[in-house]
Amino acid sequence: MRKNSISVNFRIFALISGAVCLAYCLLFRPISHEAQGDFPAYLDLARQIFNMPGATDTDLSHRSPLYSIILGLFLLVFGEPHYLKALEVFQYVLVFSSSILIFRITERLTGSGLAALAAGLTGLLNLTVIFFGFMILSETLALFLFTLMAWLLLRHYRDGSPWMVMFAGLTAGMLILTRFNMIGIPVVVVALLIVTAAVDGR
């Protein structure tokens, strides 16, 4: 009965989350000029990586490249006039996926579908999450990769599967390539694995 209840809560949350993210896509337009932030640098790096017209010779090696690679792919596929809206939709898909992962993580940790529903909605309706969804910046991708890494580590803790640790490591690598300020995350993960293994006696 409890599993069925949690399953119903998950389906309800998935529908709500999908509807909210769809509303975000319809209500907001991608912002790249009014509040540019780091967007011009990401765009220039994308053009440099793919040898596109308009690329400068500015040294952008201090910029984490993964988001620029994705940005460049959207430029190639959708073209200059349309890539921003397609990228915004992609970012809200990432927001939706992150909310699903937050639901699952909370559900696993608490065993409560209601707690998971509350946590997922809190993350989904957070103003910062909404803001970065329509800003053309790397934070939304970083949020998704971080929550995915946490979910994979939780799966490893439950199942003891080395594959989960390997995928978590790959995700951590992509997270670092998205945000260089996350370069210390592998050290934190290894420390957590050692501590939990010592506490559990394995």
Side-chain angles (χ1 to χ4, degrees), residues 99-139:
S99 71
I100 294 296
L101 289 169
I102 289 169
F103 182 98
R104 286 300 197 188
I105 289 168
T106 308
E107 177 188 85
R108 183 62 52 81
L109 292 174
T110 65
S112 168
L114 289 177
L117 186 63
L121 288 175
T122 300
L124 188 66
L125 300 175
N126 183 289
L127 291 178
T128 303
V129 173
I130 298 170
F131 175 77
F132 283 124
F134 59 82
M135 285 287 292
I136 307 304
L137 296 172
S138 63
E139 278 77 0

Side-chain angles (χ1 to χ4, degrees), residues 53-109:
T56 71
D57 57 358
T58 304
D59 182 8
L60 295 171
S61 58
H62 63 288
R63 293 286 177 185
S64 40
L66 184 58
Y67 187 75
S68 289
I69 291 172
I70 293 173
L71 179 57
L73 291 173
F74 272 81
L75 267 168
L76 289 172
V77 172
F78 295 98
E80 191 79 35
H82 308 293
Y83 80 96
L84 282 176
K85 188 61 183 178
L87 187 59
E88 182 199 33
V89 172
F90 170 71
Q91 292 194 163
Y92 278 119
V93 170
L94 292 179
V95 169
F96 170 77
S97 301
S98 298
S99 71
I100 294 296
L101 289 169
I102 289 169
F103 182 98
R104 286 300 197 188
I105 289 168
T106 308
E107 177 188 85
R108 183 62 52 81
L109 292 174

Side-chain angles (χ1 to χ4, degrees), residues 29-40 131-132 134-137:
R29 64 184 181 83
I31 291 182
S32 61
H33 299 291
E34 290 88 340
Q36 287 186 334
D38 295 332
F39 171 72
F131 175 77
F132 283 124
F134 59 82
M135 285 287 292
I136 307 304
L137 296 172

Side-chain angles (χ1 to χ4, degrees), residues 172-187:
M174 289 190 291
L175 178 59
I176 293 168
L177 291 175
T178 303
R179 302 283 300 175
F180 279 156
N181 58 4
M182 299 297 290
I183 197 166
I185 198 70
V187 177

